[in-house]
């Protein structure tokens, strides 16, 4: 009896009880669907974060004040240990660190911007002209903050797209004067529309010269310095160059942290991989439960068909023919369930981003292959016991079974 | 063709062991037509199941065409049942999900005959038992006599040399029973060896030999004059 014959027999048995077969498959369908869906969400988040982080501009280095990764154990904090990062630090890096193409000072705060009777609370970033290039965010009309603005601490402001639209509508904003915390700033530029990135709205922000920003927030320190290297091979050397220069300026203490974009990406990916594995694992358990459902139904099916088994044996079926018949039935149930689960999972994974924009998904081939092989394996594993039970029936006992 | 030597079949019922067959010796020649009679519980079905390789005897030797059946593996027994023996049951034992034709084709499936060749071989056998116009009916759509004819066609489709029928007319009215008997007698005339279990003396009278069982043993074995 060849494989195709047995397959036909098994298929007929499955189709002869459509509702039951459907319900049995449902367990596997849901399991496979869940695996593919949850993994696609994890993978989607990973792809999204990778894309956004690399979209920040290439080979970005972020220097923040304070040492977050202290090596060499615990030491008590003493007064004056942590020196702040200053605008002069960024100037020194720009002048002396020749491996860096840019070193951009950043101060960040929030405030409310007013124009006539309209106002908006938004994020305020004080920075230097190179910010445009380093963060890949460009002005659309007018100009960005210039070095002249920074040097003379001029009260000028560049508006993010959303802020401009809120305050001015379709009117021209250039040359108008807005107030930020009672101080008056002249609008010199409006940014390109950019949308959401990594959870914040890039359009809901305004830019000041870093010096005016420090004055506004009444501080002489920086939130961070963004640096960039033209070539990624230079990253390691650039880091040591930054360290050399800053340590000398900070009384020989390394009281700052340098993060690379690659390291950030790696950390995020590690977290998301664990998350994806956990989600996939939970979905895998539901697949296992689906397998138990198959075993249950196969046991019922064997019991129901003991007489059929007896008849088949009486007319010459070998044990392995009976075994194959029930195995193929179980594997077909799980396999078809797996395929339906894949179709549903992939379909829903494509639909989700259309309705829930914050949830990007990415269906990976490996999750499809893994989920399908796993569902087949579940069919084999949970099919063996019932099929063996069927195959080892004694012909006479089976024929007499009522 | 068949040689049974001291065949016993014992069943253990709690403490006591009862023998359904107690040391049966039997020779069946090729081309024979035998009726097996005897009271209920005398071991007729047990004997047929042993002859049909459906059941293994507890002890004794069983030679079929000079081959030792008792020493065969499950797979070898399956092959003998498939190719050498046709079995007809009192309760028909057809597969209800399949058409009459598919039921008749079933033994050929296990002989590895291709789908087309199966139909080509099954159709003439269906016609031979007079069911050429009922091939696509399910068993539930057939009368008892028709179902038993399907079962006979199934038993014959692989051209086995031996046909075993355990009370083939037991569930039928006398007219259907007579039809079945005619088919069996016809087959015998074509050279098939046939053994029929029956309670009906009229059926036994048409056989060449009548074997009577009682309490698991053969008490008479006589040729019909
Ligand atoms: N599986 C079994 N377990 C225990 N005893 C059994 C079993 N099968 C048959 N027997 C016993 O073996 C004896 C012979 O049974 P068998 O079915 O061969 O009788 P029979 O001659 O065919 O009777 P009938 O004419 O009623 O069909 C009976 O006493 C029966 O109780
Ligand atoms: Mg009986």
């Amino acid at each position: 009896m060849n494989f195709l014959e047995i397959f036909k027999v098994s298929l007929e048995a499955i189709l002869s009880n459509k509702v039951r077969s459907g319900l049995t498959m449902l367990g596997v369908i849901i399991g496979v669907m869940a695996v593919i869906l949850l993994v696609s969400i994890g993978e989607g988040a990973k792809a999204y974060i990778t894309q956004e982080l690399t979209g920040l501009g290439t080979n970005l280095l972020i220097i923040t004040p304070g040492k977050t990764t202290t090596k060499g154990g615990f030491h008590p904090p003493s007064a004056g240990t942590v020196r702040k990062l200053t605008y002069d630090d960024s100037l020194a890096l720009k002048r002396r660190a020749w491996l860096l193409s840019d070193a951009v000072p950043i101060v960040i705060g929030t405030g409310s911007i007013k124009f006539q009777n309209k106002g908006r609370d938004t994020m305020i970033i004080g920075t230097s002209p190179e910010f445009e290039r380093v963060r890949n965010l460009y002005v659309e009309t007018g100009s960005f903050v210039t070095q002249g603005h920074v040097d003379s601490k001029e009260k000028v402001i560049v508006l993010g797209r959303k802020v401009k639209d809120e305050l001015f509508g379709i009117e021209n904003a250039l040359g108008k004067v807005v107030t930020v915390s009672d101080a008056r700033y002249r609008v010199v530029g409006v940014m390109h529309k950019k949308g959401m990135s990594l959870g914040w709205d890039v359009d809901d922000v305004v830019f000041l010269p870093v010096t005016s920003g420090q004055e506004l927030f009444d501080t002489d320190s920086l939130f961070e310095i963004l640096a960039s290297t033209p070539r990624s091979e230079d990253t390691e050397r650039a880091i040591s160059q930054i360290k050399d220069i800053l340590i000398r300026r900070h009384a020989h203490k390394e009281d700052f942290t340098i993060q690379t974009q690659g390291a950030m990406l790696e950390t995020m990916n590690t977290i998301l991989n664990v998350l994806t594995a956990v989600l996939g694992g939970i979905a895998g358990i539901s697949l296992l439960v689906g397998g138990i459902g198959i075993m249950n139904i196969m046991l019922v099916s064997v019991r129901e068909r003991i007489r059929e088994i007896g008849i088949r044996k009486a007319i010459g079926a070998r044990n392995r023919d009976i075994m194959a018949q029930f195995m193929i039935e179980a594997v077909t149930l799980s396999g078809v369930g797996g395929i339906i689960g894949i179709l549903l999972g992939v379909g829903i994974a494509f639909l989700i981003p259309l309705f829930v924009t914050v949830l990007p998904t990415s269906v990976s081939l490996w999750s499809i292959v893994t989920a399908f092989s796993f569902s087949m394996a579940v069919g084999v594993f949970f099919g063996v016991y019932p099929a063996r039970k069927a195959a080892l029936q004694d012909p006479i006992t089976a024929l007499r079974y009522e | 063709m068949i040689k049974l030597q001291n065949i016993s079949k014992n069943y253990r019922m709690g403490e006591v062991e009862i023998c359904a067959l107690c040391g049966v010796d039997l020779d069946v020649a090729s081309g024979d037509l035998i009726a097996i009679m005897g009271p209920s519980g005398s071991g007729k079905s047990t004997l047929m199941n042993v002859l049909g390789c459906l059941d293994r005897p507890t002890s004794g030797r069983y030679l079929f065409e000079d081959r030792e059946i008792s020493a065969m593996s499950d797979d070898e027994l399956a092959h003998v049942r498939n190719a050498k023996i046709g079995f007809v049951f009192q309760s028909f034992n057809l597969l209800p999900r399949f058409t009459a034709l598919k039921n008749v084709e079933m033994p050929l499936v296990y002989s590895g005959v291709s789908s087309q060749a199966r139909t080509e071989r099954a159709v003439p056998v269906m016609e031979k038992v007079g069911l050429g116009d009922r091939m696509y009916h399910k068993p539930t759509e057939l009368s008892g006599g028709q179902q038993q004819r399907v079962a006979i066609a199934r038993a014959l489709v692989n051209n086995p040399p031996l046909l075993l029928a355990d009370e083939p007319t037991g569930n039928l009215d006398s007219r259907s029973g007579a039809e079945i008997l005619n088919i069996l007698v016809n087959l015998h005339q074509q050279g098939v060896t046939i053994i029929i279990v029956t309670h009906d003396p009229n059926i036994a009278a048409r056989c060449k030999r009548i074997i009577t069982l009682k309490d698991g043993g053969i008490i008479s074995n006589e040729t019909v004059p």
Side-chain angles (χ1 to χ4, degrees):
Chain A
M1 189 172 183
N2 65 34
F3 175 82
L4 211 68
E5 293 287 345
I6 309 178
F7 184 72
K8 258 163 64 186
V9 169
S10 306
L11 209 62
E12 269 162 24
I14 289 172
L15 290 177
S16 72
N17 215 329
K18 292 192 189 68
V19 174
R20 190 168 84 183
S21 306
L23 288 173
T24 310
M25 274 191 278
L26 206 57
V28 177
I29 292 175
I30 291 172
V32 169
M33 193 182 75
V35 168
I36 289 181
L37 216 52
L38 291 177
V39 170
S40 84
I41 290 171
E43 292 284 309
K46 229 164 81 180
Y48 170 75
I49 283 177
T50 307
Q51 183 204 323
E52 291 294 312
L53 280 182
T54 47
L56 289 181
T58 40
N59 306 318
L60 201 65
L61 297 171
I62 299 157
I63 307 156
T64 46
K67 190 90 186 106
T68 52
T69 52
T70 40
K71 287 177 197 143
F74 176 83
H75 46 86
S78 52
T81 323
V82 173
R83 190 187 286 226
K84 296 155 179 172
L85 286 175
T86 64
Y87 177 48
D88 288 339
D89 285 336
S90 76
L91 287 179
L93 287 177
K94 194 167 149 189
R95 260 198 314 275
R96 309 215 324 255
W98 51 269
L99 279 169
L100 299 179
S101 50
D102 291 298
V104 183
I106 305 271
V107 283
I108 293 182
T110 53
S112 96
I113 322 286
K114 290 200 181 69
F115 177 70
Q116 291 169 353
N117 57 347
K118 296 199 185 104
R120 183 167 183 88
D121 291 324
T122 186
M123 181 188 274
I124 300 168
I125 296 177
T127 186
S128 68
E130 296 85 357
F131 180 88
E132 271 192 303
R133 188 167 58 221
V134 170
R135 277 301 317 267
N136 221 356
L137 296 170
Y138 290 96
V139 83
E140 189 177 56
T141 51
S143 76
F144 196 68
V145 171
T146 65
Q147 194 57 45
H149 296 148
V150 175
D151 290 341
S152 52
K153 212 193 274 186
E154 231 169 292
K155 289 219 164 56
V156 293
I157 192 165
V158 177
L159 303 180
R161 197 49 197 251
K162 193 173 238 167
V163 181
K164 188 261 170 188
D165 289 348
E166 278 288 317
L167 299 185
F168 295 95
I170 55 163
E171 258 180 74
N172 182 17
L174 291 186
K176 302 274 163 51
V177 172
V178 298
T179 54
V180 182
S181 316
D182 300 330
R184 292 154 60 79
Y185 292 79
R186 182 166 49 88
V187 177
V188 293
V190 177
M191 300 299 286
H192 263 292
K193 194 166 169 55
K194 195 79 183 207
M196 299 289 290
S197 170
L198 290 176
W200 68 283
D201 189 349
V202 184
D203 296 326
D204 195 6
V205 66
V206 297
F207 298 96
L208 304 177
V210 59
T211 44
S212 322
Q214 285 182 320
E215 189 179 57
L216 178 67
F217 300 131
D218 194 21
T219 174
D220 54 1
S221 64
L222 294 179
F223 177 75
E224 63 184 11
I225 297 173
L226 294 180
S228 69
T229 57
R231 303 190 316 152
S232 58
E233 307 89 84
D234 289 335
T235 307
E236 283 309 309
R237 289 205 300 153
I239 288 174
S240 50
Q241 215 169 49
I242 294 168
K243 280 187 184 165
D244 280 349
I245 294 163
L246 289 185
I247 286 174
R248 204 166 307 149
R249 290 178 56 84
H250 285 210
H252 299 283
K253 286 213 175 64
E254 193 180 327
D255 51 4
F256 54 87
T257 305
I258 305 173
Q259 282 177 287
T260 64
Q261 203 178 316
M264 279 165 59
L265 205 61
E266 223 165 88
T267 315
M268 290 303 249
N269 273 345
T270 312
I271 295 170
L272 286 170
N273 279 341
V274 171
L275 199 74
T276 308
V278 169
L279 289 178
I282 292 171
I285 291 173
S286 72
L287 192 50
L288 214 61
V289 175
I292 294 169
I294 288 186
M295 175 147 86
N296 188 25
I297 284 302
M298 289 310 297
L299 284 172
V300 172
S301 170
V302 168
R303 167 152 303 209
E304 271 179 356
R305 281 189 280 160
I306 285 189
R307 231 183 133 86
E308 173 184 333
I309 294 165
I311 294 170
R312 286 180 181 277
K313 286 196 153 191
I315 60 174
R318 292 163 301 177
N319 293 355
R320 74 177 94 124
D321 294 323
I322 303 294
M323 175 98 187
Q325 180 186 335
F326 284 90
M327 276 308 283
I328 290 175
E329 205 172 311
V331 173
T332 304
L333 278 177
S334 68
V336 171
I339 290 171
I340 297 175
I342 286 171
L343 294 179
L344 283 178
V346 172
I348 295 175
F350 275 115
L351 287 180
I352 284 180
L354 302 182
F355 297 103
V356 195
T357 39
V358 294
L359 212 62
T361 57
S362 154
V363 177
S364 56
L365 189 64
W366 74 262
S367 72
I368 293 180
V369 172
T370 312
F372 186 66
S373 337
F374 194 45
S375 72
M376 293 294 273
V378 158
V380 172
F381 184 79
F382 290 105
V384 164
Y385 175 67
R388 252 183 78 79
K389 217 175 140 139
L392 296 181
Q393 287 294 329
D394 172 55
I396 283 297
T397 325
L399 275 171
R400 288 225 187 97
Y401 190 86
E402 288 303 331
Chain B
M1 179 183 215
I2 284 176
K3 206 174 186 60
L4 296 186
Q5 290 177 343
N6 199 21
I7 288 282
S8 291
K9 178 73 189 179
N10 298 340
Y11 290 108
R12 173 166 284 286
M13 303 295 281
E15 289 297 291
V16 291
E17 198 161 69
I18 59 158
C19 64
L21 290 177
C22 320
V24 170
D25 294 305
L26 182 65
D27 283 313
V28 178
S30 196
D32 224 340
L33 175 58
I34 299 175
I36 295 180
M37 300 190 74
S40 187
S42 56
K44 305 183 294 293
S45 294
T46 311
L47 177 61
M48 291 295 264
N49 292 339
V50 169
L51 286 171
C53 299
L54 288 167
D55 212 354
R56 289 175 187 274
T58 314
S59 65
R61 285 184 75 196
Y62 174 11
L63 294 174
F64 184 96
E65 292 182 337
D66 299 325
R67 292 176 65 206
E68 182 78 61
I69 294 291
S70 346
M72 285 188 177
S73 69
D74 281 359
D75 280 2
E76 287 171 311
L77 288 181
H79 176 73
V80 172
R81 290 196 294 265
N82 183 242
K84 302 289 185 187
I85 300 170
F87 213 114
V88 178
F89 304 89
Q90 178 175 1
S91 52
F92 321 137
N93 278 337
L94 299 174
L95 293 179
R97 284 190 285 118
F98 298 87
T99 62
L101 184 62
K102 286 270 180 260
N103 267 287
V104 174
E105 287 180 17
M106 202 71 73
L108 299 174
V109 170
Y110 295 108
S111 318
V113 177
S114 77
S115 162
Q116 201 192 335
R118 285 205 299 266
T119 314
E120 278 166 13
R121 280 174 62 177
V123 168
V125 184
M126 290 287 285
E127 281 161 356
K128 193 163 149 188
V129 297
L131 285 176
D133 55 345
R134 293 286 188 277
M135 293 196 285
Y136 300 104
H137 286 58
K138 297 270 175 74
T140 46
E141 300 157 1
L142 296 172
S143 73
Q146 288 168 334
Q147 288 187 55
Q148 194 60 299
R149 281 188 274 160
V150 173
I152 291 173
R154 180 180 65 187
L156 291 176
V157 75
N158 234 343
N159 293 318
L162 176 65
L163 187 74
L164 302 174
D166 190 351
E167 298 190 46
T169 60
N171 281 358
L172 303 177
D173 62 74
S174 53
R175 211 174 68 96
S176 310
E179 279 170 16
I180 296 297
L181 187 65
N182 283 335
I183 293 173
L184 294 178
V185 171
N186 250 320
L187 285 169
H188 168 249
Q189 277 154 8
Q190 286 159 34
V192 183
T193 311
I194 298 179
I195 302 175
I196 310 170
V197 170
T198 184
H199 289 288
D200 184 347
N202 296 325
I203 291 178
R206 293 184 66 180
C207 295
K208 291 206 317 191
R209 203 140 67 97
I210 299 174
I211 291 169
T212 311
L213 286 183
K214 190 164 188 287
D215 297 332
I218 296 179
I219 52 168
S220 81
N221 183 348
E222 54 202 29
T223 310
V224 177

